[in-house]
Amino acid sequence: MQLTVWTYEGPPHVGAMRVATAMQGLRYVLHAPQGDTYADLLFTMIERRQKRPPVTYTTFQARDLGGDTAELMKTAVKEAFERFRPQAMIVGASCTGELIQDDPGGLARALALPVPVIPLELPSYSKKENWGAAETFYQLVRALAGPQAPAPGSVTPRDPSRPAGERPSCNLLGPTALGFRHRDDVAEVTRLLERCGVAVKVVAPLGATPADIARLGEADFNVPLYPEVAASAAQWLKRAFGQPATTTVPLGYGATRRFVEEVAALCGFDPALLLAGEPSRLPWYSRSIDSTYLTGKRVFVFGDATHALAVARVAQEEMAFTLVGLGSYSREGAREVRQAAQEAGLEALITDDYLAVEAAIAEAQPELVLGTQMERHVAKRLGIPCAVISAPVHVQDYPARYSPLMGFEGANVLFDTLVHPLTMGLEEHLLGMFRDDFEFNDTAGPSHLGAGHTPPAERSAPEQPGSLPWSTDAEAELRKIPFFVRGKARRNTERYAAEQGVATITVETLYDAKAHFGR
Amino acid sequence: MSGAPLRAAPTPAAGCAERPVLRERGQREVFCGLTGIIWLHRKIQDAFFLIVGSRTCAHLMQSAAGVMIFAEPRFGTAVIEERDLAGLADANEELDRVVEQLLARRPDIRLLFLVGSCPSEVIKLDLSKAAQRLATRHSPDVRVLNYSGSGIETTFTEGEDACLAALVPSLPAEPAAADPSLLVVGALADVVEDQFRRLFDNLGIADVRFLPARRAGEMPAVGPNTRLLLAQPFLGRTLAALEARGARRLAAPFPLGAEGTTSWLKAAAEDFGVEPGHFSAMTRHARERARLAVARHRERLEGKRLFLFPDSQLEIPLARFLARELGMIPLEVGTPYLHRAILDEELAALPDGALVSEGQDVERQLDRCRAARPDITVCGLGLANPLEVEGLATKWSIELVFTPIQGYEQAGDLAELFARPLVRRTRLEV
Ligand code: SF4
Ligand code: SF4
């Protein structure tokens, strides 16, 4: 048993719902009690979807348990088919359904419906949402595209040359319902590929029908946009159809360039022309002198593995931030995250315990947190600026405007996202200059965050028992230091004073410590 | 106003007993009883609710709460894992460990509820035994109780019923010789509770207690001289448990709207021998204020047709209020479960044309709703946006549980909740 307050991922059947809800013409029958229908509101409320998820729940009750829950499942499948006439169905169980062992797949098969019925085995007590989405997508691809695959043994690697006039083509794999910016990422990457002269044949699961899934094998290669969901399906397609897959996720300016180069190599064109010119404003914005103040900002990054890795790279290479923490809740991507952390001289935090993440953030004392909605709460509580860069997210992270994270426009969006929560360049100086002005103190906060912005409380590191006394002057001087480094300054000074055997901390001790630790 | 007069006294059997009820069994689109924790944990300020369940239960709590509570909440989930099921770990030992961990983290907790879920019930984890064991271990600092909020046993507000029913056996005993006291049963917002306390005080009913109390150590005593008023219509099991301890229910409609609140207060006043003249003098001002506040929305709502999906069991009293005080026309009034005995007065006051339905088959009910094209549909969050897309104005039923709606001072707010979606539609030009 694990004590959980907030969770980063739902159960695996919610992952299956994300796939089913993204698609057209598919129905999901879920053996589950009534309370599990809460999952519908994730889609209709948080993502503001206009249709109910295509899910039929059996909603069995205690009184059914002694009797025939299996019959309930059969009726539900039959009625769902008759009412909705889907092209294909998936059937499975939620955590409670799994325990009563009714074999939804076998029951549905016994009905001999005239459409493919794909059983899902999603172990609720060991797996989670993203795994569930990946497994569901993989099972759908195997079941629906499988019949089109060449006989095993006759699969040949794709030949990059093609008849003159015929454009190379690819599939975009992985975008789901309730995905973080998936809608806009798909539009942006499609546009980018168009500019490369590559046609996008099928986007799946987002917007795809079962018939679309069946023709995935027709494209020249696959682009797994979200490896958390698409990796296993892409691997299978490679084995079954000989389709290669790109390995770079175009998140960030550099990654987008590498993605274009990878596509160019797969399709045999020269990327130079496309990459010349001004595909993104990020490089110039980062080089413009107003951005100087971004140098060395201490950031803490946490999210799903794909977004955490990409954003950590953008933060370091494209913003010149300093990474002070990196972690992910997805164990599936732990290896890469560990490696990236190590390269930055850190130890990665791989956990799905939000209290552990909170403790790590408090410890690292970053100036900016880039995380999920959980880290937004933590950062708010600690008074640290924060931007959301990964699922799970909330309703305001589905903006009305076009706001991709991928591709060159995505790099622009990332620049804005990472800079917006911070005090702007010149303004930071002005705040420092007028610190003692009665209207212009640190409780005023940056103007672009609006009058309603509550000023962050001072983050005092927990006072150690027996910590050294501060002279009044030194306390006053400490208050002149910007709030976001004040906690660290206090700790460093006290540590220095303890090491030096200073009895009372004076203004001199403060500056001695500052010189000693540098930055 | 329509229908029979709304009265506190037992109504003639005619009408309600014969009102046809459409019973349905199909897919239900409702929360399970765990969701009650969202308001209960705010209400009882030194209690912690530990769900013994799955990742689904934890995810439900976080999604249904809608907005996450900023501070660390006083609820959590002990998530059952593979090892617990495979017998690699002893589930009871695991639970004890989690409770130790929790109480070490939250030394301020005085009352711990172990809340059963579907998985804990299906694997037959005996939480009442566990509660006894843990209570012995952590006594006297922490009391440990258990109840089920599982979706196979409870629907949404029935979780509160189960929780309060679990509290009843541990309530202090009131001596048989004690003076009569009034017990108001059902979690109310603190502000509403304070208003009622003042009203009862003005009426001269001084000994008024509330269940649940705001703190574990202040739970009310109960005995044969306890008269109880239900503040919520979904408390059947709690009522039975209190009756078993000698308390007597004062039959009344529910305190929604000016009229409902007056009848509810009057039930107590009559039983406590308050002079009718005094009652009317003491409530006149608030009554009048509520009537005016409600009347402000009448123009917007009168004659509008109403369809309620089953959710909180508040549907019947709500429909009664909307019909009688605002002139709305209820077409279908769904309820997950119909407590006839508790809702006698309410059913009798409901317009005859309203179809009462119990249980649910959500697809069929949606068919009926679409065919009726009501002016406003009260439904859960999973249905609201899709219905709006189809051109139907909706009111989220969950708001009726999360916001204070009972009593005189909230009557206008309650009416406004229904007027707002309609107002919004007339203002938008997009
Ligand atoms: S219905 Fe059952 S399994 Fe689902 S959230 Fe409620 S208690 Fe948990
Ligand atoms: S506080 Fe923010 S992140 Fe948390 S639930 Fe509300 S909107 Fe979502």
Side-chain angles (χ1 to χ4, degrees):
Chain A
M1 271 182 213
Q2 198 202 346
L3 181 59
T4 308
V5 185
W6 305 121
T7 68
Y8 287 93
E9 292 182 76
H13 72 260
V14 168
M17 282 183 71
R18 279 172 45 200
V19 171
T21 306
M23 288 179 60
Q24 316 275 335
L26 182 74
R27 190 87 200 162
Y28 182 15
V29 181
L30 186 62
H31 209 16
Q34 59 183 357
D36 292 7
T37 61
Y38 80 87
D40 285 358
L41 76 86
L42 301 171
F43 299 92
T44 61
M45 295 300 293
I46 297 179
E47 202 185 5
R48 300 179 216 249
R49 286 213 157 234
Q50 305 202 335
K51 283 201 213 143
R52 291 167 63 213
V55 183
T56 297
Y57 304 81
T58 57
T59 64
F60 55 84
Q61 295 180 282
R63 59 166 183 239
D64 303 316
L65 287 181
D68 211 348
T69 49
E71 198 51 43
L72 216 55
M73 180 74 198
K74 268 164 94 169
T75 316
V77 174
K78 197 161 142 285
E79 287 185 358
F81 174 75
E82 280 160 7
R83 182 177 273 268
F84 298 101
R85 296 278 152 187
Q87 290 178 23
M89 296 178 87
I90 49 181
V91 295
S94 75
C95 54
T96 313
E98 182 182 336
L99 291 175
I100 59 178
Q101 298 184 322
D102 273 338
D103 183 21
L107 293 169
R109 234 183 348 262
L111 292 169
L113 296 176
V115 295
V117 177
I118 301 147
L120 296 177
E121 303 265 347
L122 308 176
S124 305
Y125 298 90
S126 53
K127 301 291 188 192
K128 288 181 277 188
E129 180 178 332
N130 279 335
W131 185 91
E135 173 69 10
T136 304
F137 187 47
Y138 164 72
Q139 294 295 348
L140 275 166
V141 169
R142 253 187 64 160
L144 298 170
Q148 271 65 250
S154 66
V155 182
T156 47
R158 295 287 163 123
D159 176 2
S161 64
R162 60 188 58 73
E166 197 187 301
R167 295 199 301 166
S169 65
C170 68
N171 303 310
L172 300 188
L173 304 181
T176 63
L178 209 68
F180 180 49
R181 307 289 166 85
H182 288 192
R183 173 198 73 193
D184 296 345
D185 284 349
V186 165
E188 185 61 23
V189 175
T190 303
R191 196 175 301 171
L192 180 65
L193 288 162
E194 284 291 330
R195 273 174 42 208
C196 297
V198 178
V200 172
K201 274 224 151 102
V202 175
V203 178
L206 192 62
T209 61
D212 292 330
I213 304 254
R215 56 189 188 87
L216 280 176
E218 292 171 11
D220 295 312
F221 64 100
N222 287 310
V223 176
L225 282 183
Y226 307 98
E228 274 84 356
V229 178
S232 45
Q235 268 160 27
W236 182 83
L237 286 165
K238 186 171 185 180
R239 281 201 307 277
F241 291 95
Q243 282 172 313
T246 53
T247 57
T248 312
V249 178
L251 261 170
Y253 176 73
T256 301
R257 290 182 66 101
R258 285 192 295 281
F259 173 75
V260 170
E261 283 160 4
E262 215 187 331
V263 170
L266 281 170
C267 304
F269 67 84
D270 180 3
L273 207 64
L274 201 106
L275 293 176
E278 292 281 318
S280 165
R281 295 191 190 93
L282 183 141
W284 165 237
Y285 270 47
S286 246
R287 285 178 188 283
S288 78
I289 56 164
D290 187 76
S291 296
T292 311
Y293 79 100
L294 300 174
T295 317
K297 286 270 182 206
R298 299 156 48 78
V299 294
F300 189 104
V301 178
F302 194 87
D304 67 31
T306 302
H307 286 82
L309 283 168
V311 169
R313 189 176 300 120
V314 169
Q316 296 177 96
E317 294 174 3
E318 300 175 16
M319 310 295 284
F321 289 161
T322 299
L323 200 62
V324 296
L326 173 62
S328 173
Y329 56 82
S330 16
R331 285 182 200 277
E332 290 88 352
R335 193 150 47 88
E336 286 93 332
V337 177
R338 284 214 173 88
Q339 195 185 328
Q342 204 173 23
E343 283 163 16
L346 301 165
E347 197 185 328
L349 178 67
I350 308 295
T351 180
D352 62 355
D353 177 357
Y354 111 109
L355 296 173
V357 181
E358 174 169 40
I361 293 175
E363 167 69 27
Q365 301 226 350
E367 292 163 81
L368 176 65
V369 174
L370 302 171
T372 73
Q373 63 166 333
M374 316 291 178
E375 285 68 49
R376 172 162 52 210
H377 284 280
V378 170
K380 217 172 171 184
R381 185 144 67 188
L382 297 174
I384 309 172
C386 173
V388 168
I389 51 92
S390 164
V393 297
H394 218 296
V395 61
Q396 71 270 46
D397 300 305
Y398 293 91
R401 66 179 183 277
Y402 182 58
S403 197
L405 289 183
M406 290 189 181
F408 290 122
E409 181 60 22
N412 296 338
V413 171
L414 271 175
F415 181 89
D416 291 346
T417 305
L418 269 50
V419 166
H420 177 88
L422 298 168
T423 311
M424 283 181 279
L426 266 181
E427 196 179 36
E428 188 176 71
H429 291 291
L430 293 175
L431 277 178
M433 209 141 95
F434 296 111
R435 189 162 306 283
D436 289 326
D437 186 297
F438 74 100
E439 282 185 312
F440 224 116
N441 48 49
D442 37 75
T443 51
S447 59
H448 67 290
L449 295 182
H453 176 73
T454 9
E458 181 177 351
R459 281 178 288 127
S460 49
E463 303 272 337
Q464 269 105 15
S467 76
L468 294 164
W470 285 63
S471 74
T472 328
D473 285 358
E475 278 284 4
E477 197 69 17
L478 182 69
R479 270 196 294 278
K480 296 178 192 163
I481 294 172
F483 63 85
F484 41 83
V485 282
R486 201 177 293 152
K488 188 176 155 74
R490 179 187 284 278
R491 274 198 322 187
N492 281 352
T493 307
E494 288 175 356
R495 196 165 101 206
Y496 176 81
E499 280 166 15
Q500 301 296 314
V502 176
T504 301
I505 295 169
T506 63
V507 175
E508 288 306 309
T509 329
L510 181 66
Y511 285 112
D512 285 346
K514 181 168 190 272
H516 179 79
F517 289 106
R519 175 157 147 150
Chain B
M1 298 218 179
S2 51
L6 183 65
R7 52 167 97 201
T11 39
C16 77
E18 281 138 43
R19 176 184 285 281
V21 172
L22 173 66
R23 283 204 181 72
E24 286 201 295
R25 270 197 80 183
Q27 180 185 325
R28 299 163 67 100
E29 181 89 15
V30 281
F31 289 142
C32 58
L34 294 184
T35 345
I37 294 171
I38 293 167
W39 61 89
L40 287 167
H41 92 282
R42 309 298 300 168
K43 184 73 207 176
I44 314 176
Q45 291 164 17
D46 51 2
F48 194 100
F49 294 78
L50 181 64
I51 300 162
V52 184
S54 63
R55 181 165 296 283
T56 315
C57 309
H59 199 235
L60 157 98
M61 290 302 293
Q62 134 172 6
S63 316
V67 280
M68 283 168 27
I69 295 105
F70 190 40
E72 190 180 328
R74 286 184 303 274
F75 64 78
T77 309
V79 174
I80 299 171
E81 293 168 307
E82 193 96 87
R83 322 174 30 243
D84 306 301
L85 296 176
L88 293 177
D90 180 279
N92 282 303
E93 280 169 25
E94 285 289 294
L95 181 58
D96 293 2
R97 182 181 57 77
V98 167
V99 168
E100 295 287 345
Q101 188 188 342
L102 175 72
L103 293 177
R105 207 187 147 78
R106 301 298 303 261
D108 50 325
I109 296 307
R110 293 286 159 269
L111 174 58
L112 173 67
F113 286 102
L114 302 180
V115 187
S117 67
C118 308
S120 78
E121 274 159 33
V122 171
I123 65 170
K124 302 206 158 50
L125 194 58
D126 189 339
L127 291 186
S128 77
K129 253 209 202 113
Q132 276 169 27
R133 180 177 69 239
L134 287 160
T136 324
R137 185 169 315 169
H138 297 284
S139 148
D141 300 342
V142 186
R143 272 201 295 144
V144 187
L145 297 174
N146 76 290
Y147 73 90
S148 166
S150 81
I152 55 176
E153 293 280 3
T154 61
T155 300
F156 196 23
T157 47
E158 284 178 319
E160 176 176 333
D161 190 22
C163 172
L164 298 189
L167 266 173
V168 171
S170 69
L171 297 178
E174 183 92 314
D179 286 340
S181 60
L182 180 64
L183 182 63
V184 177
V185 185
L188 293 167
D190 289 354
V191 52
V192 177
E193 207 176 285
D194 294 341
Q195 289 165 9
F196 284 151
R197 197 183 284 284
R198 278 196 300 273
L199 278 165
F200 286 124
D201 218 47
N202 292 343
L203 291 174
I205 307 175
D207 194 352
V208 182
R209 302 141 187 210
F210 291 84
L211 182 70
R214 295 178 201 184
R215 307 201 73 87
E218 296 161 10
M219 292 297 165
V222 59
N225 280 322
T226 305
R227 320 282 163 79
L228 69 90
L229 265 184
L230 291 182
Q232 302 282 13
F234 42 74
L235 298 173
R237 288 177 55 198
T238 309
L239 174 63
L242 285 165
E243 283 173 343
R245 294 203 45 186
R248 176 165 60 82
R249 174 181 178 229
L250 307 177
F254 290 87
L256 298 179
E259 193 197 13
T261 304
T262 302
S263 309
W264 186 77
L265 292 169
K266 194 178 253 162
E270 282 172 1
D271 194 83
F272 279 79
V274 178
E275 284 294 312
H278 184 63
F279 179 84
S280 122
M282 281 296 139
T283 52
R284 183 176 303 124
H285 193 61
R287 233 185 314 142
E288 196 46 28
R289 198 160 51 206
R291 209 186 49 75
L292 281 177
V294 171
R296 215 170 301 133
H297 302 285
R298 187 164 179 117
E299 195 192 333
R300 180 81 58 186
L301 293 171
E302 186 159 26
K304 293 283 190 290
R305 296 148 69 252
L306 174 73
F307 194 108
L308 296 107
F309 278 77
D311 198 54
S312 62
Q313 294 189 42
L314 279 164
E315 293 79 12
I316 289 170
L318 276 172
R320 179 267 301 161
F321 160 70
L322 294 167
R324 295 176 64 99
E325 295 186 42
L326 287 151
M328 295 185 78
I329 305 166
L331 303 174
E332 176 164 343
V333 186
T335 178
Y337 181 76
L338 184 59
H339 274 289
R340 279 183 174 275
I342 293 180
L343 287 168
D344 225 19
E345 293 73 21
E346 294 284 358
L347 281 168
L350 206 58
D352 291 337
L355 169 70
V356 174
S357 62
E358 182 186 11
Q360 191 172 29
D361 182 322
V362 69
E363 304 295 352
R364 292 209 179 94
Q365 198 164 26
L366 280 166
D367 290 345
R368 291 199 296 276
C369 180
R370 290 183 182 116
R373 293 209 68 82
D375 298 300
I376 192 154
T377 304
V378 183
C379 60
L381 293 175
L383 299 178
N385 267 334
L387 287 174
E388 292 278 351
V389 172
E390 296 178 29
L392 296 170
T394 60
K395 168 81 244 126
W396 319 339
S397 46
I398 198 156
E399 215 174 337
L400 302 163
V401 181
F402 286 177
T403 46
I405 56 169
Q406 292 81 3
Y408 288 131
E409 312 310 337
Q410 283 65 238
D413 303 346
L414 179 55
E416 200 270 342
L417 283 180
F418 290 87
R420 197 183 309 161
L422 301 177
V423 173
R424 183 162 182 79
R425 293 183 150 234
T426 62
R427 290 171 70 144
L428 287 179
E429 292 186 22
V430 289

